[in-house]
Amino acid sequence: MINDLWYKNAIIYCLSVEAYMDSNGDGVGDFPGLMRRLDYLHGLGVTAIWLMPFQPSPRRDGGYDITDYYNVDPRYGTLGDFVEFAHGCKQRGIRLLIDLVVNHTSDQHPWFQEACRNPDSPYRDWYVWADKKPKNANSGLVFPGVQKSTWTYDEVAKAWYFHRFYEFQPDLDTASPHVQAEILKIMGFWLQLGVSGFRMDAVPFVIAEKGAKTGKPVEQYGMLRTFREFLQWRCGDAIILAEANVLPESDMSYFGDDGDRMHMMFNFAVNQTLFYALAAAEVKPLVKAMEATRTRPQTAQWGSFLRNHDELDLGRLTQKQRETVFQAFAPEADMQLYGRGIRRRLAPMLQGDRRRLELAYSLMATLPGTPVLRYGDEIGMGDDLSLPERNCARTPMQWSPEPHGGFTAGDTPTMPVIDQGPYGYPHVNVAAQRRDPDSLLNWMERIIRMRKEVPEIGWGEFTILPVDASCVLAVRYDWRNNAVIVIHNLGAAPLEVRLDGGAVGDVKHVLINLLSEDHSHAGEDGQYRILLEPYGYRWYRAGGLDYLLRRTEI
Ligand code: NOJ
């Protein structure tokens, strides 16, 4: 058993098997197709893959409505194909994370069906029931505007059941010892098949008290320790990456004061303020969010991300800030969702402006944490707003200029491939970009490579360096006698940034540029003067005669 903290300096790549690569021409991506693309991912330099749900499911919520936790949806292959894939990852030194969706099942899951049919079934207590419509039935909706209620009457069960999400996703009673035992069994099953951990779905709801009489749900944090203990007993280097969009003051309750709960969490506070910073060219709220989320146990880690498969949730910004982001990146009503977010992909939000895309990904790669990249972002894929809700940003991967972007040799991809406009596959595809040394794909590969060589970011402590421009973020990371300084100009105008030599603390009076030959030397007055172009960014290692290399061994 190894207790390796590999996730502290990793590059995670999230993909959906369904949308990645179809090997048999039926229009649905599958494991054998994904297997053929493993060397592509290896070449890109990702160190971990996060697979979105691939278990059997009616797929009314992108697979987050599971009917069998111990299998692979036959459209994607078999358990045998999964194991081949897991082995392929292992051979290449790539870690595999999978979604763990245990807040709820599909209403088609045999447990729920049995629970409805037979009130004496042991499965009845696996779900959350009420005889009468609860008073809180219209509150706590996660998908306002689409979801109608959090309680629905089932004709067969002759009772109301609770569902935090859509009505076809009945909540499991996660407080039940039987349900908890089953959750551990599910984790054990996939660990045995070679995964290195789980992206745990909807964690605050998993641990919330559930029931008709519950007012403001109280979190049962002890459950998180139970999950972690089990995971580490079975597999010392496996992790849980929690999806928990909570206020920073709750972070430590999720990580655990002794680092005994979640290993990783997505940093939603930084995500939202980062988009505000990009929209308003103003970094103050971002810095505030970075400071507010600074504290975490040594072994814990943030997941830094830009866009994911859901809407970009801006619910925690002030109304004014949210309006600024909407104005800049989603001015039309159709681009917004659930009254709080944006459903577009990043490239169209930034109008395909390469300078801004590089700026955004450079920021993502250098914020405190481990970057989590979404499939297609490496080539700047767009969205299809004619598709409902969040599906607009879940279209198939664009591999080549061949029909359907090379995703399928069949005629009918389940989800249409984007074929029109500036983001259509004839223009945006992997084959074209891999031949072009200046493409976004090749830039991404270089930035991933460099990020892996800068463990100071994943492991170190950060300091915000004072600069006198509100659109510039300058951050220094220190770790084991090494220091790295990253500077980003979020503004549209060029400017000169002055960094005080004292703050930089550079013994050799030189900042080594990690991405080009353009190093920076301190002036007579000990100040560094750095000229930044519009949306410009710099990664420097402080001092060190050995050029790119770190000063001490790690
Ligand atoms: C969070 C997932 O990210 C989202 O896609 C899903 O709809 C809900 N959880 C429900 O599982």
Side-chain angles (χ1 to χ4, degrees), residues 346-548:
L346 187 74
M349 280 168 68
L350 300 180
Q351 291 167 342
D353 185 334
R354 175 67 181 268
R355 297 168 309 168
R356 301 190 83 182
L357 283 169
E358 284 189 21
L359 172 79
Y361 288 117
S362 171
L363 276 163
M364 177 179 97
T366 57
L367 285 168
T370 284
V372 184
L373 188 69
R374 177 154 164 72
Y375 82 90
D377 277 5
E378 71 271 33
I379 54 171
M381 265 172 58
D383 46 48
D384 178 349
L385 294 178
S386 71
L387 297 172
E389 285 183 71
R390 294 159 289 160
N391 282 354
C392 61
R394 298 176 177 182
T395 59
M397 183 69 180
Q398 297 171 194
W399 293 106
S400 74
E402 288 159 328
H404 304 300
F407 161 71
T408 176
D411 297 330
T412 45
T414 37
M415 192 88 86
V417 187
I418 297 178
D419 55 0
Q420 305 286 318
Y423 303 98
Y425 68 78
H427 303 295
V428 176
N429 66 68
V430 171
Q433 291 201 21
R434 72 191 323 162
R435 284 194 292 268
D436 173 4
D438 294 326
S439 66
L440 184 63
L441 176 63
N442 279 314
W443 176 87
M444 195 70 84
E445 192 181 314
R446 291 193 293 274
I447 219 76
I448 288 177
R449 179 187 184 131
M450 187 47 75
R451 173 60 183 78
K452 289 194 288 194
E453 292 185 39
V454 187
E456 289 94 332
I457 298 173
W459 280 94
E461 271 298 314
F462 75 85
T463 314
I464 304 290
L465 300 180
V467 282
D468 58 6
S470 58
C471 62
V472 172
L473 181 68
V475 186
R476 173 187 167 118
Y477 288 94
D478 282 277
W479 186 58
R480 293 194 176 170
N481 263 340
N482 297 286
V484 159
I485 291 167
V486 287
I487 309 176
H488 292 84
N489 173 16
L490 285 80
L495 48 80
E496 184 185 76
V497 174
R498 285 186 190 208
L499 285 183
D500 179 56
V504 169
D506 170 25
V507 286
K508 304 287 184 210
H509 302 291
V510 58
L511 292 179
I512 302 295
N513 191 323
L514 295 177
L515 302 171
S516 81
E517 291 294 332
D518 173 25
H519 309 306
S520 179
H521 296 265
E524 293 286 300
D525 57 358
Q527 299 246 323
Y528 292 88
R529 291 178 176 74
I530 298 164
L531 265 181
L532 289 175
E533 57 279 10
Y535 308 119
Y537 57 93
R538 298 286 185 278
W539 297 20
Y540 294 113
R541 183 159 271 128
L545 295 173
D546 51 359
Y547 195 47
L548 292 177

Side-chain angles (χ1 to χ4, degrees), residues 61 64 101 104 143 165-166 169 199 201-202 243 309-310 390 394:
D61 179 20
Y64 285 91
V101 189
H104 48 267
F143 305 122
F165 297 95
Y166 297 108
Q169 290 165 313
R199 177 265 189 197
D201 191 57
E243 187 219 11
H309 61 289
D310 290 327
R390 294 159 289 160
R394 298 176 177 182

Side-chain angles (χ1 to χ4, degrees), residues 119-340:
D120 299 326
S121 152
Y123 292 116
R124 187 79 168 197
D125 290 342
W126 285 35
Y127 294 89
V128 185
W129 302 97
D131 296 332
K132 290 192 301 232
K133 184 174 181 178
K135 287 202 183 69
N136 58 8
N138 297 326
S139 63
L141 308 179
V142 177
F143 305 122
V146 184
Q147 185 185 356
K148 306 252 162 351
S149 159
T150 49
W151 288 86
T152 293
Y153 185 73
D154 185 87
E155 293 292 345
V156 179
K158 306 229 173 316
W160 295 79
Y161 64 91
F162 174 64
H163 51 90
R164 172 61 66 189
F165 297 95
Y166 297 108
E167 80 287 354
F168 53 83
Q169 290 165 313
D171 266 49
L172 283 164
D173 181 3
T174 38
S176 145
H178 301 290
V179 171
Q180 285 190 17
E182 191 75 27
I183 293 175
L184 301 186
K185 206 194 271 186
I186 295 167
M187 297 202 315
F189 178 82
W190 293 103
L191 287 173
Q192 199 70 26
L193 294 189
V195 309
S196 287
F198 304 92
R199 177 265 189 197
M200 195 167 188
D201 191 57
V203 177
F205 301 129
V206 172
I207 64 171
E209 260 177 1
K210 308 182 188 194
K213 300 205 172 66
T214 315
K216 192 178 177 304
V218 180
E219 293 91 350
Q220 321 285 299
Y221 290 114
M223 237 187 255
L224 300 179
R225 186 185 163 122
T226 312
F227 297 148
R228 175 157 186 165
E229 271 179 0
F230 174 83
L231 193 74
Q232 303 226 276
W233 290 336
R234 287 281 168 100
C235 191
D237 57 350
I239 65 155
I240 302 181
L241 162 55
E243 187 219 11
N245 184 352
V246 293
L247 290 171
E249 46 263 39
S250 306
D251 291 344
M252 285 305 287
S253 302
Y254 283 82
F255 285 134
D257 287 334
D258 302 324
D260 55 352
R261 293 177 185 165
M262 303 287 92
H263 303 74
M264 284 187 77
M265 278 168 70
F266 289 107
N267 197 333
F268 281 95
V270 161
N271 175 260
Q272 308 197 7
T273 47
L274 174 56
F275 274 93
Y276 173 74
L278 290 168
E282 213 245 286
V283 301
K284 215 164 152 197
L286 172 61
V287 168
K288 215 170 139 201
M290 289 169 72
E291 293 291 1
T293 55
R294 174 191 289 280
T295 312
R296 57 177 192 262
Q298 252 298 303
T299 55
Q301 182 64 310
W302 286 116
S304 308
F305 66 107
L306 287 167
R307 289 289 291 112
N308 60 21
H309 61 289
D310 290 327
E311 81 286 4
L312 163 64
D313 185 344
L314 303 170
R316 297 205 190 277
L317 296 182
T318 64
Q319 197 180 339
K320 205 160 157 242
Q321 290 171 335
R322 192 162 43 248
E323 274 313 313
T324 304
V325 184
F326 280 150
Q327 277 292 318
F329 298 143
E332 288 163 36
D334 190 32
M335 299 167 171
Q336 303 171 9
L337 197 59
Y338 310 136
R340 59 163 185 245

